[in-house]
Amino acid sequence: MITGKFPNLRLRRSRKNDWSRRLIEENNITPNDFILPIFLIEGKNKKQAIKSMPGVYRYSLDKISLVVDKAIKLGIPMVALFPYTQKNKKDSLGSEALNENNLVCRAVQLIKKKFKNQIGVMCDVALDPYTSHGHDGLINSNHVANDSTIEVLINQSLLQAQMGCDVIAPSDMMDGRIGKIRKALDKNGYYMTQILSYAVKYASSFYGPFRDAVGSKGVLIGDKKNYQMDYRNSNEALREVALDIKEGADMVMVKPGLPYLDIIKLVKENFKIPVLAYQVSGEYSILSNGINKRLIDKSVILESLISFKRSGANAIISYYADRLDKILK
Ligand code: PBG
């Protein structure tokens, strides 16, 4: 594989000038590679800072057109919606997930009505923004129940599809939910609604700031290790992906991102399917706080984003996506 020998071969020759570096670049990144997450909150005229994620905000519905409009102008193909749920709307069953008037439902309708197919809308399927215990599913004798949770997730997916959601993204990690959701979508005529499976989602402490953003910080009882993956494992990631492909997933996600580039590469090389990476809240927070405190230069953002592409990711969910004009220039 490796040919040539010093001093005939000098790899620094091709690195000397910018034009030459550009000429032989192996990877690049464009706005097409991004999904912008948007946090939603009740109320009017709100742009509320999220303390643990400097530069990220929760928006009331009357403000999201501006955010989506900017995303479209930047050339971003899709936004992902996440609701901040007030305490009084949470219960042990996560009932608010099935309220056709909840924040996500209203936001999807609004965006699709106004922007049609200029941009895709993706919605998380999981109960954690809505449960009083902070778990992604229903609790049965101190354990997150698999099969009964799926029944609720099916209804949550159908509701989102009905509202106009383009991509249903189950992030709950229950076994078998992709197949059941696909079947229910098809049966109800939503056979063109895509499924992005969070097939490989690790039980991670990098999600900390997100839980603050959606209002489930301090709410979570215990941890999510009995459904999210063990970060010591990678073969198991392939089993998760293989199952979800068979069940009908159109795309799969690996999450978190930066500490799991090996998994992205492994999944891509084994299955040759669209693989998405999630640069999660903790990663965002570390980079942004490091930059704000002048510990590192802001060019770490582009460096870390390119690393996702290098590892084989087709696209990246990133909280930086709304500032791509500055980051990619
Ligand atoms: C909920 C969900 C989580 C994230 C996305 N969807 C948190 C969790 O599983 O606890 C995390 C995203 C982030 O940290 O940016 N199922």
Side-chain angles (χ1 to χ4, degrees):
M1 260 286 271
I2 295 171
T3 53
K5 199 167 133 208
F6 178 82
N8 299 2
L9 179 64
R10 292 176 185 268
L11 291 179
R12 291 185 58 194
R13 240 179 248 138
S14 51
R15 285 180 209 143
K16 189 176 173 220
N17 292 307
D18 180 62
W19 61 261
S20 176
R21 291 193 294 269
R22 282 190 284 127
L23 189 69
I24 62 162
E25 71 183 13
E26 296 175 39
N27 293 285
N28 211 338
I29 198 158
T30 77
N32 289 336
D33 298 317
F34 287 90
I35 297 168
L36 172 69
I38 304 176
F39 291 112
L40 311 167
I41 190 160
E42 292 288 353
K44 282 215 170 74
N45 201 26
K46 278 195 187 156
K47 181 182 177 184
Q48 194 177 78
I50 299 165
K51 225 175 140 196
S52 52
M53 300 174 73
V56 180
Y57 302 85
R58 302 183 192 100
Y59 295 93
S60 55
L61 296 187
D62 54 341
K63 288 257 181 191
I64 57 172
S65 285
L66 291 170
V67 183
V68 175
D69 193 53
K70 176 155 189 219
I72 292 170
K73 291 203 169 106
L74 286 169
I76 294 172
M78 183 158 76
V79 293
L81 305 178
F82 296 101
Y84 174 93
T85 311
Q86 294 152 258
K87 268 225 166 78
N88 62 10
K89 290 202 170 153
K90 298 188 186 201
D91 61 26
S92 64
L93 304 176
S95 316
E96 179 68 6
L98 303 183
N99 172 5
E100 58 186 49
N101 247 322
N102 71 25
L103 265 175
V104 169
C105 290
R106 277 179 285 148
V108 177
Q109 285 177 292
L110 196 152
I111 296 170
K112 284 283 107 177
K113 187 165 174 224
K114 178 146 193 187
F115 299 102
K116 309 281 184 308
N117 274 331
Q118 291 181 74
I119 194 157
V121 175
M122 149 186 167
C123 297
D124 227 51
V125 171
L127 300 183
D128 60 310
Y130 309 110
T131 51
S132 45
H133 43 71
H135 281 288
D136 293 29
L138 306 174
I139 305 269
N140 199 340
S141 35
N142 287 326
H143 191 255
V144 173
N146 195 84
D147 300 13
S148 54
T149 294
I150 292 180
E151 295 308 314
V152 186
L153 299 179
I154 289 173
N155 290 327
Q156 189 183 16
S157 304
L158 286 173
L159 180 61
Q160 292 174 353
Q162 186 195 331
M163 296 295 147
C165 172
D166 301 293
V167 177
I168 304 283
S171 72
D172 55 287
M173 288 298 280
M174 298 303 117
D175 283 323
R177 86 280 202 221
I178 298 300
K180 297 229 173 186
I181 290 172
R182 182 72 270 162
K183 200 168 154 199
L185 287 173
D186 289 356
K187 199 173 142 203
N188 286 275
Y190 302 113
Y191 50 86
M192 292 305 276
T193 303
Q194 298 188 43
I195 297 180
L196 161 59
S197 170
Y198 285 75
V200 188
K201 179 170 179 181
Y202 286 92
S204 170
S205 293
F206 282 96
Y207 307 146
F210 176 91
R211 293 178 189 164
D212 175 22
V214 299
S216 59
K217 188 185 167 194
V219 171
L220 184 65
I221 300 170
D223 57 46
K224 299 189 176 183
K225 289 184 180 170
N226 67 73
Y227 46 105
Q228 298 181 346
M229 270 187 60
D230 185 335
Y231 53 70
R232 289 172 290 200
N233 299 348
S234 56
N235 287 334
E236 192 184 345
L238 295 177
R239 295 182 86 185
E240 283 285 3
V241 172
L243 285 167
D244 285 1
I245 294 173
K246 272 206 176 135
E247 290 177 33
D250 299 285
M251 307 176 270
V252 295
M253 176 111 70
V254 174
K255 178 177 173 197
L258 219 45
Y260 297 88
L261 294 180
D262 58 323
I263 307 296
I264 295 170
K265 192 170 174 110
L266 199 64
V267 171
K268 189 66 179 187
E269 284 182 349
N270 276 279
F271 296 105
K272 315 283 182 198
I273 50 161
V275 179
L276 273 59
Y278 201 139
Q279 183 188 46
V280 301
S281 57
E283 300 171 57
Y284 174 87
S285 201
I286 291 169
L287 294 179
S288 293
N289 280 299
I291 294 163
N292 290 348
K293 295 210 163 86
R294 297 179 188 280
L295 299 170
I296 39 174
D297 186 78
K298 59 180 188 316
S299 57
V300 292
I301 299 171
L302 184 58
E303 184 179 338
S304 59
L305 292 170
I306 291 266
S307 76
F308 288 111
K309 294 290 295 182
R310 201 180 58 237
S311 72
N314 293 77
I316 307 147
I317 304 193
S318 171
Y319 300 102
Y320 287 114
D322 60 341
R323 282 153 279 167
L324 285 181
D325 41 352
K326 293 181 189 97
I327 293 165
L328 303 187
K329 73 157 193 277

